[in-house]
Every structure is written in structure tokens, then in C-alpha cells.
Amino acid sequence: MNVENEGSGAKNVYLGAIEAGGTKFVCAVGDRNGNVRERVTFPTTTPEETMRHVIDFFRQYDLSALGIGSFGPVDLNRNSATYGYITSTPKQKWANFNFVGEMKRHLNVPIGFDTDVNAAALGEHLWGAAQGLDSCIYITVGTGIGVGAIVENQLLHGLTHPEMGHILIRRHPDDPFPGNCPFHGDCLEGMASGPAIEKRWGKKGAELAGRTEVWELEAFYLAQSIANYILILSPEKIIIGGGVMKQEQLLPNIRRHVIDFLHGYVQHETILQHIDEYIVSPGLGDNAGICGALALAIQALDKQ
Ligand code: ADP
Ligand code: ZN
């Protein structure tokens, strides 16, 4: 859609979006339909340098609202003194960074703020693989593992926000790897993230494509977590992305293990007969996160 043609004589509505990752930042402007018009990507360095790039990009546009999907953990409690902060991240210099406050200093617009995976879940719900459904989860398996959830058409929040990448799982009896989560050792992220694969097998995931045992074990762990998410949230669609999922043999292995772990307990044809359409790749591909941040901007604008 072309924003210039939107409405009759209406002012152009530019929405800003930030997908803030621990490795890279994506900044974009787009429209209400999830179309991205311009985007830039740069590596995540210090907060000062990274924010300079962010502000320089958005300065070129007359924004109506901004959405931020951020790596975390983040403080999403609007009544908290540290609302809008990145809190206890092990990522150097970013702990206790006032992300929303810093953006507000430069841009006087409504700001939507959520986790990167909640943003991606929202993007997929509006424009991707979960369109028209009331619920879904979005899982990313990359440098870390994170999960965002839509429940009854709303993003799921709680005391803080769910951290479903750090759940405890049952170890495979033949796997001696101790796990590499700095907080929990052998939680899901500690056993199945990209860096965990690299540490266990001594090579990056991309170089292990031909090693079937690598992806069989990876699917064993991811499928356990997915079975748990199904039992706890009963999502209508499970979307799974991130760098590690570039291994195409993973998805069929995951589906097979999920059915094994559930063992006939959840009697629904979606799982028993149509699992290929139930556990899927992102409909928006690599754009789930940035489109989700656009969606957060729309929510912030509409709430105003
Ligand atoms: P981030 O989590 O930082 O946003 P990604 O989702 O791209 O970034 O995840 C990066 C992780 O994915 C790295 O640990 C990397 O080794 C792994 N990875 C990237 N490409 C592949 C691939 N083709 N096969 C397996 N693992 C991959
Ligand atoms: Zn952990």
C-alpha cells in the first residue's frame, strides 16, 4: 500500500518501529497495514552509539507513534519507576538502560514497548501465520530462546513478562552437556540455543547441517518445551523462527516429538492430523519482529 494515497487529503501517518536485538538493531518506518517503507540495520554496540544511529534514522520522518520490541528482560509495568527499562540483561552496558525514556527525550510521540518475542507474536497474529485466530505463540531459537504469546487476542503479560525460554526440561539420557545458561545451566535456552549447540558440538549450527544426531537432539528439547506450552496455554498456532530454525530438518523432527511427548492426551485433530499446519515457520519470515514493532506503534497510537 502507498501511504501517500491513504484517505482523502489525510495527513500521512508514519509509524516508527524498532526491533532491538542483542546482536543487531532494525529500525523502520511503515504504515498501518504492516508495510515497511524504509529500514536500516546496524549492530548492537554500546547504548550511546546504538541510540545515536536510532535517533539519526527517525529524525528524517514525522512520526505519529513508535513501537519497540526489545531484547530483555524489560520492565513493562507502567506503574514502576523503571518502566521501559532493559533490566537484568547480561549484555554489557545495557543492564538498567532506560530505553523508552531515551526515545521520549528525542521523539514526542506515543511509544509502545514490549519484548521482542511478544512483538513478533503480535505481528504474526495481525499479518502472519496466526491471522484470524484468538491465540498463538511465537518462539525464537537463536542466540537465546524466547517465546511471546497471544491469549484471547491479547499479548500475555503478568508479574513481569513470561520467560518461556528458560523453563526446565528433562535432559536426554545420552546428553552429558551441562548447559550454558548463566542463570540456570541446563534450562531450555542453556540446552538448545544457538550458542548451546555450538558449545556442545564444537561447531556453529550452520556447519553441522549433515549431522542428523545434532538436530534429533535439538528437536527433542524444543519439542518438550512445545508440548509444555501446549499443555499450559493451548495455543491455536505455534510459530517458530530464529537462526537455528534455518535447519530445515528441525521442523519435521519437532512435530514428530511433540506428538510423542503428548502421547495422545490432547485429543484434537489439529495436533493429531494437521500438525504440519499447527507448528509452522513465521508467515512474515524474517519480518515478524519489525512488523510486530509496527503493530506496537499502532496500539500506542490507538490507545492515545
Ligand atoms: P539473534 O538471536 O541474535 O537475534 P538469530 O536468530 O539469527 O539472531 O540467531 C543466531 C543463532 O542462530 C546463532 O547461534 C547461530 O549460530 C544460529 N544459526 C544461524 N544460522 C544457522 C543455521 N543455518 N543453522 C543453524 N544455526 C544457525
Ligand atoms: Zn536459563
Side-chain angles (χ1 to χ4, degrees):
M1 192 194 114
N2 185 345
V3 170
E4 266 89 57
N5 297 330
E6 201 178 58
S8 54
K11 187 172 179 285
N12 287 341
V13 178
Y14 289 96
L15 299 165
I18 304 175
E19 183 186 7
T23 316
K24 67 175 195 309
F25 263 58
V26 183
C27 295
V29 290
D31 65 32
R32 271 193 172 271
N33 296 339
N35 299 314
V36 171
R37 293 167 56 93
E38 302 283 346
R39 85 162 71 203
V40 286
T41 301
F42 40 88
T44 309
T45 55
T46 62
E48 295 74 29
E49 188 182 18
T50 311
M51 284 303 130
R52 216 167 27 243
H53 291 309
V54 171
I55 302 302
D56 283 350
F57 174 73
F58 287 119
R59 237 198 273 280
Q60 308 171 77
Y61 303 95
D62 184 14
L63 290 190
S64 302
L66 175 71
I68 305 171
S70 176
F71 73 96
V74 291
D75 187 345
L76 302 179
N77 176 4
R78 287 187 173 271
N79 299 318
S80 158
T82 53
Y83 168 75
Y85 280 54
I86 295 176
T87 58
S88 54
T89 176
K91 188 146 178 69
Q92 267 204 336
K93 306 224 175 108
W94 288 87
N96 304 312
F97 174 65
N98 183 358
F99 202 155
V100 171
E102 182 61 20
M103 295 313 299
K104 272 212 179 307
R105 262 183 357 104
H106 296 275
L107 300 171
N108 186 27
V109 294
I111 297 180
F113 183 62
D114 216 313
T115 63
D116 45 5
V117 280
N118 263 354
L122 187 62
E124 286 290 321
H125 181 236
L126 267 180
W127 301 304
Q131 278 180 74
L133 301 176
D134 293 341
S135 59
C136 70
I137 60 172
Y138 179 93
I139 307 170
T140 183
V141 189
T143 307
I145 298 183
V147 188
I150 300 267
V151 176
E152 294 180 343
N153 288 305
Q154 299 279 335
L155 278 174
L156 182 64
H157 299 115
L159 207 53
T160 61
H161 49 80
E163 280 286 0
M164 290 186 260
H166 290 265
I167 60 169
L168 304 181
I169 41 155
R170 203 180 282 169
R171 170 180 290 279
H172 193 286
D174 300 332
D175 182 13
F177 181 60
N180 72 343
C181 173
F183 291 88
H184 317 110
D186 61 359
C187 69
L188 175 68
E189 180 172 298
M191 296 303 270
S193 65
I197 294 171
E198 185 176 347
K199 202 160 177 196
R200 180 191 286 105
W201 301 98
K203 279 185 184 167
K204 283 192 183 302
E207 294 158 30
L208 294 162
R211 299 269 299 272
T212 50
E213 70 276 23
V214 173
W215 309 109
E216 178 58 25
L217 186 67
E218 181 69 8
F220 170 85
Y221 288 126
L222 293 174
Q224 266 193 73
S225 67
I226 290 172
N228 285 331
Y229 307 146
I230 292 171
L231 294 169
I232 294 167
L233 293 172
S234 203
E236 292 165 282
K237 188 76 83 177
I238 294 171
I239 302 155
I240 173 162
V244 172
M245 293 307 296
K246 303 267 184 239
Q247 291 298 320
E248 286 180 3
Q249 65 264 52
L250 259 179
L251 208 45
N253 280 345
I254 289 171
R255 292 177 182 131
R256 177 170 49 80
H257 278 297
V258 165
I259 289 178
D260 285 349
F261 282 124
L262 292 174
H263 217 259
Y265 185 70
V266 182
Q267 285 286 330
H268 197 286
E269 63 179 37
T270 299
I271 294 172
L272 299 176
Q273 283 157 37
H274 304 292
I275 194 144
D276 291 1
E277 292 122 64
Y278 181 53
I279 303 176
V280 298
S281 299
L284 300 170
D286 291 335
N287 285 331
I290 197 68
C291 289
L294 263 185
L296 289 173
I298 295 169
Q299 283 192 343
L301 190 62
D302 291 347
K303 246 187 227 149
Q304 209 191 16

